[in-house]
Amino acid sequence: MRKWLDPLTTAWTGVITHKLRSFLTILGIVIGVGAVITLMSVGRGAEAQILSNIQNLGSNLVTVRPGAFTFGGIRGGISQTLTIEDSEAISQRIDNIAAVAPSYNSNLQLVVGGKNTNSQVTGTTPEYMNVNNLKIASGSFFTADEYQRGAKVAVLGSNVAETLFPSSEPVGQQMRMGTIIVRVIGVLQSKGAMFGSPDDAIYIPLTAMQQTVAQPRTAQGGRIVSSIAITVSDADKNQSVIDEITSLLRTRHHLSPAADNDFNIMSTEEIASTLSEAIGTMTLLLGAIAAISLLVGGIGVMNIMLVSVLERTREIGIRKALGARERDIWGQFLIEAAFLTFAGGIIGVIAGWGISYIINRLGVMNTLVAPDIVVLAVSVSVGIGLFFGFYPAWNASRLNPIDALRSE
Amino acid sequence: MIRLENITKTYPMGKRELTVLREVNLDIKQGELVAIMGPSGSGKSTMLNLMGCLDKPTSGKYYLDDREVSRFSSGELAQVRGRKIGFVFQTFNLLPRLSALANVELGMRYVGGSDRQKATDALVRVGLGERAGHRPTELSGGEQQRVAIARALVKNPPLILADEPTGNLDSKSGQEIINILTSLHAEQGITLIMITHDAGIASHCQRIINLMDGQVVSEETP
């Protein structure tokens, strides 16, 4: 006896005997599922890419930036409170840190040959390279000795090097920066696209920078910096280091216990999780848009199942005459709908996977097909088959056998 | 086996009602071979459909094997159709996209499940063992009706209802169909009720019921 198999073979026969109709039903689902898979893979890929860029910086990087201070509930804009002296204090007083690199950013006029541009220049210490995980492509980063002497040397990000020296080797060349002449001693490896990328930066010793830019000072006479980057010796110690630096800086900045911090301190991990949350929301949005096409596909399934029921009224009558109960009839149509949408889901996954693979290979974007999305898309498509197939199937099962038999 | 008590069937016709059967009373015993005759519109098919549980009477009681099936739910009626009744229609009512064998298997589909061997045996029984793989469109009318008979008998029902089984066939094929049906009755004791216009065919039966305007007007035993 093949009783359990009968409903399946019946549904299968229904599918293959109406090839064009089955194909059209499946097509709607294929497009919906394919779109979901493709868009979600693009979103997930972007997320993974950005996270890996941040991870490139090292998971044990902690950055301090000047932050908004508030006074009596009024935001007072960005206060320039971080100083080189803060950086030195951190370096001397805080345990579990491997390196500290303060930096000061300034927009400077650059003149190379006949070209005249404006660019952001970062004055920093030699530790900056290791703290930020930068890699040299040619030449070298400036040394502690060059820093001490205030040597007029510069290291270029890969994009800057290409823009300023499109046809010649930058290392060894000279350029004017503000009021001083600097010599290029190194070019960095590209780190890939991300915001605030070192590819677009120029690094010189902070001591050299002070010769052309008057570094502002705080009321107490501290030399202001734009940020302080700290490498924690062990990523597990991130939080304790952040806590210690926070309390050290609060003391140094004479903040009362009730006052907010006048600086921001964040580890790469925190930045990564904030960003990935934002991108996750974006990916969800993309998926939701794609899900609309899946919904339209589902309505297509209902439409075609209704037509199918209408067209097969006589068949339903015959089956009822042969003893089919209502549940046999709706079961048959429901299985058929679920089968079509399941097949559509599988083909859609393959199509979406293929498209995202092609996008990846063409280098347009990084894509990542996640297994959870695949499972979700296929089960949602089967669910759509059951949901949208139910009404037509139920309609079919309610037909009066003699009326169904008489229909042409 | 079958008892109709004051069976009336009306259909709505716009605002009026059309009465097709008027208080029909009828008894058919197990193992009988009955012909129902009458002009078109006399209610023959309606009566047969009621007996076959394909339709419900407007009023009156219908007993099948001493059970009042006129009170059954649609699910219970489906079970009665599946277990007890084999239908043979004038227009065959085979599924066009299925093979002869698959059509016969369909007869068991809702009562115990398909069984290829039994289906093949039933086809052999009606002389179509060779044509099991053919679709209805590849078969002659007589062959299609034989497939339909095989479908009806494959589940061994105690009752076969045939609505003008030879109505669409030439006289030679018609005679073959009648021979098969009467032999089923003779060999297996199946109760067979059929509608016919053909007095020659009716003469094979034990009992002829004449209908006119929704009422039984006369009975004869040839």
Side-chain angles (χ1 to χ4, degrees):
Chain A
M1 286 301 174
R2 300 177 291 143
K3 190 164 185 171
W4 61 273
L5 205 64
D6 277 339
L8 294 182
T9 48
T10 305
W12 172 244
T13 318
V15 168
I16 57 162
T17 50
H18 302 93
K19 291 190 184 64
L20 180 64
R21 195 171 64 199
S22 301
F23 168 75
L24 290 174
T25 313
I26 286 176
L27 190 65
I29 298 294
V30 166
I31 291 172
V33 171
V36 168
I37 299 280
T38 308
L39 288 181
M40 293 297 274
S41 78
V42 166
R44 290 287 181 90
E47 189 176 345
Q49 167 87 50
I50 291 173
L51 287 187
S52 96
N53 280 341
I54 291 170
Q55 294 306 324
N56 265 345
L57 294 172
S59 59
N60 44 4
L61 176 69
V62 169
T63 312
V64 190
R65 293 176 192 282
F69 74 89
T70 53
F71 185 78
I74 298 161
R75 276 178 73 91
I78 302 287
S79 55
Q80 299 289 352
T81 51
L82 282 183
T83 61
I84 289 185
E85 290 74 19
D86 286 335
S87 159
E88 283 161 1
I90 289 169
S91 161
Q92 286 159 15
R93 305 250 194 93
I94 308 289
D95 293 331
N96 297 317
I97 59 178
V100 179
S103 54
Y104 181 74
N105 299 330
S106 183
N107 249 335
L108 291 178
Q109 193 186 35
L110 300 180
V111 182
V112 180
K115 272 182 290 187
N116 197 331
T117 58
N118 236 313
S119 179
Q120 174 150 307
V121 178
T122 301
T124 185
T125 62
E127 287 83 13
Y128 190 92
M129 181 173 85
N130 288 330
V131 169
N132 285 293
N133 232 351
L134 303 179
K135 302 274 188 304
I136 286 288
S138 64
S140 60
F141 208 78
F142 50 83
T143 61
D145 180 53
E146 284 165 320
Y147 176 76
Q148 294 300 331
R149 290 190 281 116
K152 300 185 184 84
V153 292
V155 177
L156 308 182
S158 57
N159 286 348
V160 177
E162 219 162 278
T163 315
L164 294 180
F165 303 98
S167 53
S168 56
E169 170 59 40
V171 175
Q173 307 254 23
Q174 297 207 322
M175 61 182 180
R176 212 181 83 201
M177 179 183 286
T179 57
I180 57 172
I181 305 289
V182 297
R183 185 165 51 85
V184 178
I185 59 164
V187 175
L188 297 176
Q189 282 177 17
S190 171
K191 279 207 142 190
M194 62 178 278
F195 104 111
S197 168
D199 292 358
D200 299 319
I202 298 172
Y203 301 98
I204 66 171
L206 186 52
T207 47
M209 198 172 202
Q210 287 157 355
Q211 300 171 33
T212 181
V213 181
Q215 198 176 1
R217 286 174 184 265
T218 61
Q220 288 76 28
R223 284 168 295 162
I224 283 170
V225 292
S226 310
S227 69
I228 303 171
I230 299 120
T231 305
V232 181
S233 54
D234 180 351
D236 292 343
K237 299 267 170 28
N238 276 357
Q239 198 49 51
S240 72
V241 167
I242 287 175
D243 292 343
E244 286 173 44
I245 293 176
T246 306
S247 92
L248 174 69
L249 291 182
R250 285 183 68 88
T251 313
R252 289 182 54 82
H253 295 177
H254 310 292
L255 296 175
S256 69
D260 288 337
N261 290 345
D262 59 357
F263 53 91
N264 272 321
I265 180 162
M266 252 188 159
S267 68
T268 341
E269 279 173 340
E270 285 173 289
I271 298 173
S273 75
T274 310
L275 262 181
S276 93
E277 208 173 298
I279 299 163
T281 310
M282 192 65 116
T283 306
L284 215 60
L285 192 71
L286 284 177
I289 292 167
I292 291 173
S293 66
L294 197 55
L295 187 75
V296 173
I299 292 168
V301 171
M302 176 150 72
N303 192 3
I304 284 174
M305 291 310 290
L306 277 172
V307 170
S308 166
V309 166
L310 210 63
E311 193 186 285
R312 288 153 73 180
T313 306
R314 196 182 176 86
E315 174 186 331
I316 293 164
I318 294 171
R319 288 179 183 276
K320 287 201 152 192
L322 295 175
R325 287 155 300 177
E326 288 183 3
R327 67 179 148 114
D328 292 317
I329 300 296
W330 62 248
Q332 175 190 339
F333 282 95
L334 216 51
I335 291 173
E336 209 172 302
F339 180 84
L340 287 175
T341 50
F342 178 71
I346 296 289
I347 298 170
V349 165
I350 294 168
W353 208 314
I355 292 169
S356 88
Y357 177 78
I358 290 168
I359 291 175
N360 218 354
R361 280 300 292 268
L362 292 179
V364 182
M365 260 183 126
N366 276 325
T367 58
L368 189 72
V369 178
D372 56 334
I373 298 301
V374 170
V375 171
L376 189 74
V378 172
S379 39
V380 163
S381 64
V382 173
I384 278 177
L386 294 177
F387 184 79
F388 288 105
F390 184 78
Y391 175 70
W394 188 73
N395 250 359
S397 74
R398 302 267 299 168
L399 285 169
N400 184 11
I402 194 65
D403 294 340
L405 267 175
R406 284 206 192 109
S407 84
E408 281 308 315
Chain B
M1 177 176 212
I2 285 177
R3 193 157 99 230
L4 306 183
E5 280 182 5
N6 295 321
I7 292 284
T8 297
K9 180 69 182 175
T10 58
Y11 289 109
M13 285 280 281
K15 283 179 182 170
R16 294 185 309 157
E17 284 195 327
L18 180 71
T19 306
V20 183
L21 290 176
R22 284 173 217 277
E23 307 200 342
V24 172
N25 289 288
L26 188 64
D27 264 295
I28 292 172
K29 293 189 191 65
Q30 184 146 7
E32 273 194 291
L33 173 52
V34 180
I36 300 172
M37 298 189 76
S40 55
S42 58
K44 307 184 297 288
S45 290
T46 303
M47 193 163 86
L48 201 75
N49 290 336
L50 288 173
M51 289 178 180
C53 301
L54 290 170
D55 212 348
K56 285 181 165 186
T58 312
S59 67
K61 292 175 178 175
Y62 170 32
Y63 293 92
L64 179 64
D65 282 341
D66 297 326
R67 296 202 298 168
E68 192 186 339
V69 294
S70 47
R71 296 169 69 140
F72 277 19
S73 69
S74 63
E76 289 168 319
L77 288 177
Q79 298 234 314
V80 171
R81 288 194 297 268
R83 299 234 170 89
K84 298 202 167 164
I85 304 168
F87 292 96
V88 178
F89 301 97
Q90 181 179 359
T91 51
F92 322 135
N93 275 338
L94 300 173
L95 293 190
R97 296 177 201 265
L98 297 183
S99 69
L101 184 65
N103 264 293
V104 176
E105 276 190 273
L106 205 60
M108 290 177 284
R109 163 81 165 76
Y110 301 103
V111 276
S114 308
D115 185 327
R116 183 146 298 177
Q117 189 54 49
K118 279 189 188 169
T120 310
D121 292 346
L123 274 179
V124 170
R125 178 95 197 266
V126 297
L128 281 178
E130 308 289 306
R131 317 216 63 180
H134 289 68
R135 286 186 174 190
T137 45
E138 298 160 343
L139 300 172
S140 72
E143 287 170 327
Q144 288 185 55
Q145 194 60 298
R146 281 193 269 164
V147 173
I149 293 171
R151 181 179 67 184
L153 69 85
V154 70
K155 61 189 176 188
N156 283 320
L159 173 64
I160 287 184
L161 301 176
D163 189 349
E164 293 195 48
T166 61
N168 279 8
L169 303 177
D170 59 74
S171 59
K172 183 168 169 289
S173 315
Q175 193 54 52
E176 285 171 8
I177 295 300
I178 293 304
N179 289 344
I180 292 171
L181 286 174
T182 50
S183 77
L184 279 176
H185 167 258
E187 288 163 22
Q188 294 184 5
I190 292 175
T191 312
L192 176 61
I193 303 171
M194 72 180 148
I195 294 173
T196 182
H197 283 297
D198 188 328
I201 290 173
S203 67
H204 288 278
C205 300
Q206 299 163 337
R207 186 175 165 196
I208 299 170
I209 295 166
N210 288 304
L211 280 186
M212 180 81 81
D213 294 331
Q215 287 178 311
V216 178
V217 288
S218 66
E219 280 199 36
E220 40 191 311
T221 40

